[in-house]
Amino acid sequence: MSASAPSSLLAYCRPGFEGECAQELAGRDARLAGAGYARAARGSGFVEFVTPDAAALAGSWRGLVFARQLLQVLGSARDLPPKDRLGVLLPLIEAADPVHGPRRWCDAWVEAPDSDAARELAPLCRGLNAALVGVLKKKQLIDRASHWRLHLCLTATDAAYVAMADIAHAAPWPGGIPRLKFPRAAPSRSTLKLEEALLVLLDEGERERWLKPGMRAVDLGASPGGWTWQLVARSLHVTAVDNGPMDTALLASGLVDHLRADGFRYRPQKPVDWLVCDMVEQPRRVAALMADWLASGQCRYAIFNLKLPMKKRHDEVQLCLDLVADALAAAGKRGELRAKQLYHDREEITVFARAG
Ligand SMILES: C[S@@+](CC[C@H](N)C(=O)[O-])C[C@H]1O[C@@H](n2cnc3c(N)ncnc32)[C@H](O)[C@@H]1O
């Protein structure tokens, strides 16, 4: 059994994207001291980034595309005894703040990365979570007003990271994954991608202000209508552009016009509020199309999917985001871009863009 306390960050990501997640953290680090390095195993679903000052590097998970969650590591332990894992982990938890004594936590989550191997740890996580919260309550270390949340990340039955998150800068879902229920009336599972994008890329106030009943939207590559369904559910009028068929119940809502047209050529007669796009195409081509709509004022807000190539995925994402940002700047518009690889994204990412 061994326990240690390095200074590092822990990021959760989609398995297979550890390299991209590490590249992003290294990029953030390079803008600061640049003394850090990543430890990542392909397929593990997480990256540890070792740095002399983890608190300074942490920042928000929002600014990272490939990280679903970003935590500050307090320590890690291996060879945990199966009958008393918490006995080894508690000293690491209680040593969290040597100056002010043990930190108080608004909550404690025991989670495992999203890999095939670690997913089998879910029952153990649940049992350990109940026990951990019980112990912390007994020790009066739970304080709902605290802005620190405790995270135990099990990477094996006998190995764990002890980590923490400032709730203002961390994803509010265990594992960084919002669990969404598929709406039975929606015509495709893709609907969850747009629902997750609206939840993750916008905050509650933004959803209320920027997505109002009666607004007009265009959905490029809309068939069979999962994304259109999300917009109609919020009472937006949608022009659905696709040569493929649209769900008949959705068309009967009276809020959808279906146009059988090429999404790269279609332009609205009058500017619209929203543009969404899920066409399977080269990412640069989609980014250029979005840039054109936003820069020319044909839409104010856009959410679009970028299907990633096999190689240099991090670089391709950066290139596409720069392409949109440059087009907005050249048009004299203040733009804003937010991008994430969502839980419902596979070899792709989702971007929200706003033209000011
Ligand atoms: C992943 S599916 C979209 C699924 C849809 N978002 C949903 O939620 O049901 C991609 C769609 O893009 C459409 N598509 C691809 N290229 C297109 C183009 N140039 N113009 C219009 N639609 C296109 C395809 O016909 C296909 O229906």
Side-chain angles (χ1 to χ4, degrees):
M1 180 181 72
S2 66
S4 62
S7 168
S8 64
L9 297 175
L10 187 65
Y12 299 152
C13 64
R14 184 176 182 82
F17 285 82
E18 297 79 10
E20 287 73 15
C21 188
Q23 262 180 293
E24 274 198 302
L25 289 168
R28 205 179 251 199
D29 185 47
R31 290 190 286 279
L32 297 172
Y37 62 91
R39 285 187 191 140
R42 193 172 161 78
S44 65
F46 70 96
V47 173
E48 184 182 5
F49 196 86
V50 183
T51 159
D53 192 350
L57 185 61
S60 174
W61 67 288
R62 286 189 184 278
L64 297 166
V65 179
F66 291 98
R68 291 177 182 165
Q69 183 60 287
L70 188 61
L71 308 170
Q72 286 182 53
V73 174
L74 299 167
S76 63
R78 293 183 168 280
D79 306 322
L80 291 169
K83 294 224 162 91
D84 190 22
R85 294 179 178 89
L86 287 184
V88 177
L89 297 170
L90 273 171
L92 292 174
I93 296 168
E94 293 184 275
D97 187 344
V99 181
H100 302 103
R103 215 180 272 272
R104 286 184 169 68
W105 312 99
C106 62
D107 205 354
W109 291 352
V110 181
E111 43 200 13
D114 185 27
S115 66
D116 289 339
R119 220 166 290 132
E120 289 174 14
L121 299 170
L124 178 58
C125 287
R126 280 195 291 277
L128 216 50
N129 212 143
L132 175 63
V133 171
V135 172
L136 293 175
K137 278 187 178 160
K138 216 179 253 175
K139 289 175 173 269
Q140 300 191 319
L141 293 179
I142 294 283
D143 172 4
R144 297 293 172 199
S146 167
H147 61 105
W148 293 104
R149 188 172 55 223
L150 178 64
H151 291 249
L152 288 191
C153 173
L154 291 193
T155 53
T157 53
D158 65 349
Y161 287 95
V162 177
M164 65 179 187
D166 179 340
I167 55 171
H169 300 301
W173 308 282
I177 300 173
R179 300 281 171 189
L180 302 176
K181 207 165 154 236
F182 175 64
R184 275 202 286 153
S188 69
R189 286 204 69 80
S190 287
T191 200
L192 293 176
K193 241 190 290 180
L194 185 57
E195 185 176 352
E196 188 185 350
L198 294 170
L199 190 64
V200 173
L201 299 174
L202 306 186
D203 68 29
E204 206 180 331
E206 292 167 344
R207 281 192 295 277
E208 261 175 40
R209 286 198 307 281
W210 297 345
L211 266 173
K212 289 204 180 117
M215 281 183 162
R216 306 206 74 87
V218 171
D219 182 356
L220 301 178
S223 167
W227 285 33
T228 293
W229 189 90
Q230 288 291 335
L231 299 169
V232 166
R234 291 164 177 81
S235 302
L236 274 75
H237 294 266
V238 184
T239 301
V241 182
D242 201 309
N243 277 319
M246 289 296 284
D247 178 70
T248 43
L250 200 51
L251 293 176
S253 69
L255 289 173
V256 181
D257 293 317
H258 180 198
L259 277 186
R260 292 183 188 273
D262 181 354
F264 283 93
R265 287 168 178 251
Y266 170 80
R267 289 295 186 279
Q269 281 173 353
K270 280 196 295 184
V272 295
D273 302 290
W274 278 89
L275 173 64
V276 299
C277 174
D278 191 22
M279 292 191 290
V280 182
E281 250 299 339
Q282 286 179 16
R284 278 179 223 192
R285 209 173 161 217
V286 172
L289 180 68
M290 299 298 108
D292 183 44
W293 277 66
L294 287 156
S296 62
Q298 283 165 316
C299 66
R300 276 155 67 198
Y301 310 105
I303 287 184
F304 52 99
N305 216 245
L306 295 177
K307 318 287 171 190
L308 300 179
M310 297 294 281
K311 290 187 179 158
K312 299 204 168 176
R313 300 181 290 199
H314 172 269
D315 297 353
E316 186 68 25
V317 166
Q318 211 43 62
L319 194 145
C320 289
L321 296 179
D322 288 349
L323 195 156
V324 180
D326 291 348
L328 284 168
K333 291 189 188 278
R334 271 184 299 119
E336 192 190 356
L337 284 162
R338 305 171 189 174
K340 258 297 165 222
Q341 186 171 41
L342 304 171
Y343 175 65
H344 292 95
D345 282 335
R346 291 167 187 266
E347 308 290 306
E348 59 202 339
I349 65 153
T350 303
V351 183
F352 165 76
R354 183 163 78 101

